[in-house]
Amino acid sequence: MTEDAFIFQKITINDFPFLKSILQDEELMLLGWGKTYTDAEVMEWIEKISQQYTEYGYSYFIVKSSIVDKPIGIAGILRTTIDSQPFDEIAYILKKEYQGRGYATKIARELIGLAFAEYHLSQVVGQVAIENSFSKKVLEKNGMSYAFNYQREQNDGKKKYLVYQLSNDCG
């Protein structure tokens, strides 16, 4: 069996239909992001991602699978603020039909490699809603350790998130 390889492709306006299929999927979005996006918000999100490429060199990417030969989700390295502190976070969302196949673990591993080797970051974090046991396992399988938790503003309230961290030992 051929090992799956993942291609990380910068997001463009041409990806609107695919992004809409993720960002408007309640089951995918409500757990991690606590909201779905309107068409206008998807367009604003694409613009924000483009600005992050310019400012940092990285952000979310479309993830394509070499075996499936089409996009399976989005993933990236994001500059974020957690409890007033800046961090670089790895993040991923896979379409439902590609979950449970080990893809998230492999994608997270590739993101960590990019963060350290390509972007020379000193550490990365991953944050997950407390009830998201699958993503906790993905982070742990990739050597990330629990660092702290916090209350994240989400919709009209706060939700507890766990933050995992991994330092770049090479530099």
Side-chain angles (χ1 to χ4, degrees):
M1 187 172 159
T2 305
E3 178 71 17
D4 205 348
F6 299 101
I7 298 115
F8 295 92
Q9 176 183 310
K10 283 189 173 183
I11 290 170
T12 70
I13 194 69
N14 296 331
D15 297 310
F16 177 82
F18 179 73
L19 293 169
K20 181 177 167 171
S21 76
I22 290 177
L23 299 177
Q24 293 182 354
D25 184 315
E26 285 187 12
E27 198 174 333
L28 288 176
M29 297 304 297
L30 292 180
L31 178 61
W33 291 9
K35 69 171 271 177
T36 58
Y37 285 63
T38 64
D39 285 1
E41 289 171 325
V42 172
M43 294 296 289
E44 290 171 9
W45 189 84
I46 293 169
E47 179 58 34
K48 176 181 164 187
I49 299 308
S50 296
Q51 290 171 357
Q52 290 172 348
Y53 293 148
T54 301
E55 190 169 347
Y56 309 120
Y58 51 87
S59 186
Y60 272 108
F61 299 97
I62 298 288
V63 179
K64 292 186 175 180
S65 160
S66 63
I67 291 176
V68 178
D69 195 32
K70 64 180 178 178
I72 63 169
I74 58 175
I77 306 162
L78 314 168
R79 184 72 45 96
T80 191
T81 301
I82 302 172
D83 271 355
S84 303
Q85 297 295 313
F87 290 98
D88 289 294
E89 171 188 8
I90 62 165
Y92 46 85
I93 300 174
L94 297 178
K95 294 200 61 125
K96 288 178 280 210
E97 59 265 34
Y98 302 110
Q99 295 177 2
R101 299 182 184 190
Y103 288 169
T105 300
K106 292 175 185 174
I107 288 166
R109 185 174 306 123
E110 288 193 30
L111 289 172
I112 291 166
L114 276 172
F116 293 162
E118 181 77 18
Y119 301 115
H120 309 289
L121 301 176
S122 62
Q123 72 173 5
V124 291
V125 299
Q127 57 177 318
V128 296
I130 194 163
E131 65 273 15
N132 191 342
S133 60
F134 295 110
S135 277
K136 284 189 266 189
K137 288 178 187 172
V138 166
L139 298 176
E140 290 167 355
K141 285 180 186 177
N142 279 290
M144 298 183 86
S145 301
Y146 171 79
F148 62 93
N149 66 71
Y150 75 106
Q151 295 291 320
R152 178 171 158 178
E153 291 287 338
Q154 196 163 299
N155 296 335
D156 295 330
K158 292 185 180 252
K159 186 173 184 178
K160 187 174 184 179
Y161 274 74
L162 306 175
V163 178
Y164 285 73
Q165 183 174 316
L166 180 66
S167 294
N168 183 357
D169 296 331
C170 298

